[in-house]
Amino acid sequence: MSSTPPPTDRPRRPRTAAVIPAAGRGVRLGPGTPKALRALGGTPMLIHAIRAMAASRAVSLVVVVAPPDGAPEVKHLLDEHALPERTDYLVVPGGETRQESVRLGLDALPEDISAVLVHDAARPLVPVDTVDAVASAVRDGAPAVVPALPLADTVKEVEPAGTPGEPEPVLATPVRARLRAVQTPQGFDRDTLVRAHAEVAVDGEGATDDAGMVERLGAPVVVVPGHEEAFKVTRPLDLVLAEAVLARRRANDGF
């Protein structure tokens, strides 16, 4: 007759964590407060991004990577705002580059984390369905997953001008049906992402996101449908659009 081991002897169930690099200054939004701390509907964008990750039941831990000298300020910010209680939160100092900040976030993860979502703090309004879809695809065995949307515009590959504003020669017109605009959160098997950050050096011509680093390892990356409200707030006009989306959510859904 077999006996069931006591709960303390059972292996811990693998967990999913979200890493939010928020150490950048966001110069395209203008001088002043770092982009992640800019207010959206009276609440910092970073808090919206954290809530978006924590809204997914797949996410049990959110790691916020703060500016190198701004971890105490970010910790205080989290204490000031209501966050889902079933989710754990951790703030760690970041590095000088996004890649370094993500790596520092990975270094802070507990051992039982097996899947990682990396999310831009500047995408504060990503719907929970998108987060769930990415997490589910990783859980089903994909080493790397990105949410993405088809492009509405035709794209041209050009030879960059030596001086801004000069005409640029067109080199090619990629087939639009095969192109996607990539969003976040991007999801990864933890070991795959850790290996990418250990082995892939990103320079000016290299990968611009974590999935691109995994591609350079030769590991497969798959796409799941993104959402139009998961856009990145980079320029002042984006902030206006984000305010409009948030106002509509509050009016329609009590968000």
Side-chain angles (χ1 to χ4, degrees):
M1 178 177 178
S2 62
S3 59
T4 303
T8 53
D9 292 339
R10 292 176 182 169
R12 299 181 67 182
R13 182 180 179 184
R15 298 193 297 153
T16 297
V19 174
I20 303 180
R25 298 297 304 180
V27 294
R28 281 176 288 183
L29 272 178
T33 305
K35 177 166 58 177
L37 303 184
R38 297 291 179 93
L40 172 60
T43 300
M45 282 199 293
L46 175 59
I47 297 299
H48 287 287
I50 293 170
R51 287 172 175 167
M53 295 300 100
S56 171
R57 293 196 171 274
V59 176
S60 58
L61 170 67
V62 176
V63 177
V64 181
V65 187
D69 58 352
E73 178 185 1
V74 172
K75 288 178 182 176
H76 180 68
L77 190 69
L78 267 61
D79 290 339
E80 285 186 326
H81 292 83
L83 300 171
E85 293 183 1
R86 60 179 172 76
T87 306
D88 295 328
Y89 305 92
L90 180 63
V91 178
V92 299
E96 295 302 320
T97 66
R98 184 185 186 280
Q99 182 181 4
E100 185 180 358
S101 291
V102 173
R103 182 181 58 77
L104 290 169
L106 292 174
D107 290 345
L109 296 178
E111 290 184 2
D112 64 339
I113 296 296
S114 63
V116 182
L117 309 183
V118 181
H119 183 58
D120 293 332
R123 297 184 189 270
L125 300 178
V126 58
V128 67
D129 287 350
T130 302
V131 183
D132 288 343
V134 173
S136 177
V138 176
R139 233 177 10 249
D140 289 343
V145 182
V146 295
L149 293 175
L151 297 184
D153 298 321
T154 297
V155 175
K156 302 288 184 183
E157 181 184 356
V158 303
E159 182 65 41
T163 303
E166 287 186 351
E168 298 175 322
V170 171
L171 301 179
T173 303
V175 179
R176 187 173 64 184
R178 301 185 63 183
L179 301 177
R180 298 291 183 270
V182 172
Q183 303 174 325
T184 69
Q186 298 184 354
F188 305 91
D189 166 73
R190 177 183 180 168
D191 291 342
T192 300
L193 184 58
V194 168
R195 186 161 68 91
H197 275 267
E199 299 180 13
V200 177
V202 176
D203 53 31
E205 298 299 323
T208 57
D209 64 353
D210 294 276
M213 295 173 64
V214 171
E215 288 176 49
R216 291 169 68 170
L217 286 179
V221 178
V222 300
V223 169
V224 297
H227 196 281
E228 61 183 6
E229 292 182 2
F231 61 90
K232 191 172 186 178
V233 179
T234 302
R235 298 175 176 84
L237 186 59
D238 300 327
L239 194 56
V240 174
L241 178 58
E243 292 280 5
V245 171
L246 185 59
R248 180 184 59 94
R249 285 187 182 182
R250 286 173 170 170
N252 294 345
D253 309 321
F255 177 81

